[in-house]
Amino acid sequence: MALVRAAVVPAIGSPLEITGIELPEPGPGQVRVKLAAAGVCHSDLSLSNGTMRVPLPAVLGHEGAGTVLAVGPDVTHLAPGDEVVLNWAPSCGTCHPCTLGEVWLCANALTGAARTHARRADDGTGLHPGLNVAAFAEETVVDAACVLPAPAGVPLTDAALLGCAVLTGYGAVHHAAKVRSGETVAVFGVGGVGLATLQAARIAGASTIVAVDVSPEKEELARAAGATHYLIASDTTPREIRGLTGKQGVDVAVECVGRAVTIRTAWESTRRGGRTTVVGIGGKDQQVTFNALEIFHWGRTLAGCVYGNCDPARDLPVLADHVRAGRLDLGALVTERIALDGIPAAFDNMLAGKGGRALVVF
Ligand SMILES: [Zn+2]
Ligand SMILES: [Zn+2]
């Protein structure tokens, strides 16, 4: 039994509590990991406010990296001291999407979130691991399928970001939208995922990369990540984007906000035949409407994207190559390094649309 500090969401809409939790020794098929760092993702906010539903109370946090402290009795491929990146969406390999190779849609990816993995130290309440991995804690106990080898030559505190923001942004560009060299790209929403998406568009060889955000303060971050142009979101955004792309509109729009108005704006900003990938996670109240004639006339595609349509085991080494070659700058995604008790303020910043990634460093 280990006593560690963690960020717990007690119920939907309740403020996060930083409190002591008791972690059991890892059982069969499990490992105990000491976190080095954990990124604060917009999905953590969505889990705490009920936009996305998981069993509560839960320890949130799903983007992290750390060192294996102990392994369960039958775990032979991992050992104490191994450095790992957490993977919140392990795939079973046997469900229909998995057999088709669409492992990011695994029907069993979140079954682990139904268990309780820890207890509150103060009153013994059982706690769920929000998205399987419960990374907002000094230590966590996860299924061995939820860890991947940390790439050599990448500091663990940077590697933490690979587990959600970077896989998602990279995958949106390379797997979902399949951006080709020379294409034009617009990225809506310059948070952690948006910044990763901009860098991925640059890696893909996009010619014009337009970043769009409501805040003028993110221009410098966006340009450092690869944006060739920066626009403040408004009613005239599609027209401005056509002005930057020979009156055509962009080949690809990536929406990283999850709001109806932004999805609609992204779609309208693409050329005839353009592709829009929606990465942002919106609520059920966000209705996007299209008329039948415009769907025909524009010949555009609108597609969702889960975890960047990535296979983390396959894609993590590819991302690590980009990092080591200097093409992908993980540190540039982080606008704030915080302690566990800084997470509530990081949530406030996300709600206010401020900053890129906040990173909890343990
Ligand atoms: Zn995430
Ligand atoms: Zn599966």
Side-chain angles (χ1 to χ4, degrees):
M1 189 75 77
L3 179 65
V4 300
R5 293 175 78 239
V8 171
V9 57
I12 288 173
S14 298
L16 276 189
E17 291 179 26
I18 312 302
T19 187
I21 66 166
E22 293 174 352
L23 280 172
E25 289 305 311
Q30 294 184 323
V31 295
R32 186 148 62 90
V33 176
K34 180 179 171 56
L35 273 297
V40 183
C41 179
H42 204 276
S43 300
D44 293 307
L45 179 61
S46 299
L47 293 168
S48 74
N49 66 22
T51 302
M52 291 165 70
R53 296 294 179 98
V54 288
L56 300 177
V59 177
L60 298 183
H62 58 277
E63 177 182 275
T67 307
V68 173
L69 287 178
V71 301
D74 58 346
V75 177
T76 54
H77 67 292
L78 291 162
D82 286 354
E83 294 189 334
V84 293
V85 175
L86 298 180
N87 170 22
W88 60 265
S91 48
C92 72
T94 56
C95 71
H96 186 59
C98 278
T99 59
L100 294 174
E102 299 176 1
V103 296
W104 55 95
L105 299 177
C106 175
N108 300 308
L110 284 177
T111 49
R115 71 194 163 100
T116 53
H117 79 300
R119 306 201 158 276
R120 282 183 75 118
D122 51 3
D123 61 10
T125 306
L127 297 168
H128 301 276
L131 284 179
N132 282 325
V133 294
F136 289 166
E138 291 163 332
E139 294 176 19
T140 186
V141 172
V142 300
D143 286 346
C146 291
V147 304
L148 294 165
V154 180
L156 269 185
T157 44
D158 283 352
L161 299 160
L162 294 172
C164 189
V166 180
L167 273 178
T168 300
Y170 172 84
V173 167
H174 288 264
H175 300 315
K178 296 185 167 61
V179 174
R180 295 164 290 199
S181 180
E183 287 197 306
T184 54
V185 177
V187 178
F188 292 78
V190 184
V193 172
L195 289 168
T197 304
L198 289 166
Q199 290 202 36
R202 179 170 62 189
I203 290 170
S207 54
T208 297
I209 305 175
V210 187
V212 185
D213 197 277
V214 292
S215 165
E217 289 158 20
K218 294 183 181 174
E219 177 164 359
E220 203 178 318
L221 274 175
R223 287 189 183 274
T228 56
H229 301 79
Y230 190 83
L231 301 177
I232 305 300
S234 76
D235 294 347
T236 60
T237 298
R239 199 188 322 152
E240 291 173 61
I241 286 179
R242 280 194 293 279
L244 296 171
T245 51
K247 298 185 180 158
Q248 299 286 303
V250 281
D251 297 303
V252 168
V254 183
E255 201 269 5
C256 305
V257 180
R259 286 173 52 85
V261 64
T262 324
I263 292 168
R264 180 74 216 194
T265 304
W267 189 78
E268 285 177 25
S269 297
T270 60
R271 64 169 169 86
R272 246 186 135 182
R275 291 105 70 198
T276 300
T277 297
V278 179
V279 175
I281 301 171
K284 289 178 181 172
D285 60 328
Q286 296 293 311
Q287 294 284 341
V288 192
T289 58
F290 302 92
N291 69 57
L293 182 63
E294 65 183 352
I295 290 172
F296 160 75
H297 171 77
W298 289 100
R300 292 162 168 156
T301 306
L302 177 70
C305 173
V306 175
Y307 207 0
N309 299 2
C310 278
D311 176 347
R314 177 198 62 200
D315 289 322
L316 221 58
V318 175
L319 293 174
D321 282 343
H322 287 307
V323 174
R324 287 187 294 257
R327 293 184 290 267
L328 183 58
D329 182 357
L330 299 176
L333 306 181
V334 177
T335 47
E336 210 184 359
R337 288 169 193 268
I338 60 176
L340 261 184
D341 52 15
I343 296 173
F347 277 11
D348 290 342
N349 282 338
M350 276 194 287
L351 277 170
K354 288 185 193 161
R357 212 45 149 196
L359 185 70
V360 181
V361 179
F362 294 93

